[in-house]
Amino acid sequence: MLRPRDLAGDTWPYGTFLQRLAPRERTALLRLGVRRQVPAGQIVIHEGVRETHLVLLEEGLTKVTATLPDGRPALLSLRVGGDLVGEMSALNNEPRSATVTTCGPAIYSVIQPDRFKRFLKEHPDAALELAAMVSDRLRWSNRRRIDFTSYSVKLRVARVIADLCRSHGRQGPDGVIIDVRLTQPDLATICGASETAIQKALRELRSDGLVDTDYRRITVCDLPGLRELGELESDDG
């Protein structure tokens, strides 16, 4: 069973909103909302619904999806403990732009927008970090769009996997294990490619000794080599 983290003492994943905050701000934010514990498959934010609360993830993995014109869901991103979601609707009062669903048991806090706005006024450094977080997400999204038109599928896959290493990777005996249960259709939607093309790219990456794959798990055996293939600088995703 999941347990809520200690308010100030835990280390939060790199790049998450809570990781960006100073301990005093982090503690204040964690005390703002109403905590909930839910099972896998729980929708915490519904695309198209006009609602304004925010969700602060504390434990667990969630996926962010949007509906394509043909009705299929497209995987936009993954969010983990420490991430804040729903901030756009909270600040601009527009309908939700995506659906957020838990991939396993999760703990999160529901924060009302008036309390969050008051928090930002009282903690201006947190407001700056919120702007930086939104900017980083926009940069990531824009880079994915550029990748779709500028790189082969194999390079796109290499770049996405390298990015997942930074955000969701942990060191294992044989390399960096990505602690995200991704299906090939999930990877295809992130990379903007067909499942067949993804399968071919993964076979080539395995043959190159860069990655190893089993059921919904990817282990990066040679991260520097993967970054080189993806034409990534050392400080890129």
Side-chain angles (χ1 to χ4, degrees):
M1 178 180 295
L2 294 177
R3 293 182 300 171
R5 292 174 183 248
D6 174 68
L7 289 181
D10 279 16
T11 300
W12 298 87
Y14 176 85
T16 62
F17 189 54
L18 287 177
Q19 183 268 331
R20 296 169 182 266
L21 300 181
R24 184 175 67 90
E25 297 164 340
R26 186 182 305 135
T27 299
L29 182 60
L30 282 162
R31 288 174 173 162
L32 281 186
V34 177
R35 185 173 284 113
R36 296 177 180 173
Q37 183 164 340
V38 297
Q42 181 79 24
I43 297 177
V44 299
I45 286 179
H46 294 257
E47 180 182 3
V49 173
R50 188 179 291 278
E51 56 189 11
T52 57
H53 66 267
L54 300 93
V55 172
L56 180 64
L57 302 171
E58 296 185 31
E59 293 284 353
L61 172 71
T62 63
K63 60 182 179 180
V64 182
T65 59
T67 305
L68 296 173
D70 62 6
R72 291 181 297 118
L75 179 64
L76 303 181
S77 60
L78 299 161
R79 298 286 178 250
V80 297
D83 273 323
L84 184 70
V85 294
E87 74 285 347
M88 291 174 57
S89 293
L91 297 175
N92 63 19
N93 201 33
E94 292 294 322
R96 301 294 196 189
S97 60
T99 293
V100 180
T101 309
T102 60
C103 299
I107 296 173
Y108 64 90
S109 291
V110 176
I111 303 174
Q112 296 306 316
D114 57 337
R115 302 194 72 187
F116 185 67
K117 291 173 183 176
R118 190 180 312 119
F119 165 79
L120 294 178
K121 289 179 180 178
E122 294 172 352
H123 301 276
D125 286 347
L128 291 175
E129 292 299 342
L130 177 66
M133 180 196 76
V134 173
S135 176
D136 285 348
R137 289 180 180 179
L138 179 61
R139 178 174 176 266
W140 190 92
S141 178
N142 287 339
R143 194 171 72 184
R144 293 284 82 77
R145 293 188 180 96
I146 293 170
D147 287 355
F148 294 164
T149 58
S150 304
Y151 296 99
S152 67
V153 173
K154 183 177 178 180
L155 263 68
R156 280 183 250 165
V157 173
R159 290 168 74 89
V160 167
I161 291 175
D163 190 55
L164 289 171
C165 278
R166 187 185 73 163
S167 58
H168 304 292
R170 62 177 174 84
Q171 189 63 47
D174 301 315
V176 180
I177 299 171
I178 297 175
D179 274 336
V180 175
R181 302 303 188 193
L182 278 180
T183 64
Q184 289 188 357
D186 288 339
L187 194 56
T189 58
I190 291 178
C191 295
S194 68
E195 290 182 49
T196 301
I198 293 297
Q199 292 168 2
K200 180 175 182 293
L202 288 174
R203 283 199 302 270
E204 293 176 357
L205 292 176
R206 286 195 296 266
S207 297
D208 294 341
L210 299 176
V211 305
D212 189 21
T213 61
D214 54 26
Y215 181 68
R216 295 192 180 184
R217 170 170 287 183
I218 298 173
T219 300
V220 177
C221 308
D222 181 1
L223 184 54
L226 190 70
R227 287 183 179 277
E228 182 179 358
L229 173 64
E231 301 178 10
L232 292 168
E233 300 294 335
S234 59
D235 60 345
D236 282 336

